Amino acid sequence: MTQTVEIQIIAIDRLVRTHKLYFKGTGNREQGTEKCPNSFGDCYIKAEERLRQAMLASDVSVLDELLAPDIIITNHLGQLLTKNDDLAAHESGLFKIDQLTPSEQHISIHKEIAIVSVRMQLSGSYNGRPTNGDFRYTRMWNLSERATWQIVAAHIGMIKKIEFES
């Protein structure tokens, strides 16, 4: 089944011509790094997909590369989590994602920072209990000192349908 993802790039700062921008290639880790495509937006789209695949597979080594050491994560319950908290939940099997399907994505780029908001349909489990729903992930990507893209802040919100009385 082919999934269509609506991607709206709000602003693209063409710093790619003045900076050497790289991101780790997806798939085989032996591929090394790939040069960033023509626009910043393309880099973030690929980085976001690499993150989604790592979350689905609980690939702790890729997650470790993509999450900044001092990342601030706010989960859908309002709790603050660290990088170690997130990696430990994936590594231990405490958090298991079976499906993570994007339905829309918005990217706003400001110099060397990108803010990505993506809506995801998630199904999986946390501590053996089903965790399913429609979520909005907001992430801030930044260029690290090693010239790789890392998430420095993340917020997860659950989308609830609200019925209004007429």
Side-chain angles (χ1 to χ4, degrees):
M1 177 168 132
T2 304
Q3 177 83 20
T4 302
V5 177
E6 177 187 321
I7 299 172
Q8 180 182 28
I9 301 175
I10 299 167
I12 297 180
D13 188 346
R14 303 261 182 194
L15 291 176
V16 94
R17 298 177 198 278
T18 58
H19 293 281
K20 292 180 181 176
L21 303 178
Y22 297 90
F23 67 97
K24 298 280 184 181
T26 57
N28 184 347
R29 292 175 49 89
E30 299 302 316
Q31 289 176 331
T33 59
E34 298 175 27
K35 194 167 187 173
C36 185
N38 296 331
S39 74
F40 262 178
D42 292 339
C43 278
Y44 295 110
I45 292 165
K46 289 185 179 187
E48 279 285 323
E49 178 58 19
R50 185 166 185 244
L51 174 66
R52 189 180 79 80
Q53 293 298 326
M55 290 170 67
L56 280 166
S58 286
D59 188 334
V60 176
S61 63
V62 172
L63 291 171
D64 186 42
E65 290 174 20
L66 295 176
L67 303 180
D70 56 350
I71 186 173
I72 297 171
I73 303 168
T74 305
N75 71 12
H76 68 289
L77 301 173
Q79 300 166 323
L80 288 177
L81 304 174
T82 66
K83 177 178 181 171
N84 287 340
D85 295 332
D86 190 66
L87 295 179
H90 280 281
E91 190 170 44
S92 69
L94 183 67
F95 189 44
K96 173 94 174 89
I97 301 174
D98 299 318
Q99 176 189 353
L100 193 58
T101 307
S103 61
E104 58 185 72
Q105 185 176 53
H106 304 275
I107 302 172
S108 180
I109 299 170
H110 308 273
K111 301 205 183 233
E112 294 179 356
I113 293 175
I115 300 166
V116 177
S117 177
V118 61
R119 186 173 183 160
M120 295 275 194
Q121 183 65 41
L122 182 143
S123 67
S125 62
Y126 181 79
N127 202 17
R129 292 188 168 161
T131 303
N132 304 309
D134 201 11
F135 294 84
R136 169 81 56 194
Y137 290 78
T138 303
R139 292 185 269 267
M140 183 181 292
W141 292 83
N142 190 26
L143 189 61
S144 75
E145 292 176 4
R146 298 180 329 183
T148 60
W149 295 107
Q150 290 188 317
I151 302 166
V152 294
H155 185 273
I156 305 155
M158 184 173 224
I159 299 171
K160 293 186 177 185
K161 294 180 183 175
I162 299 174
E163 307 245 349
F164 294 99
E165 292 182 25
S166 45

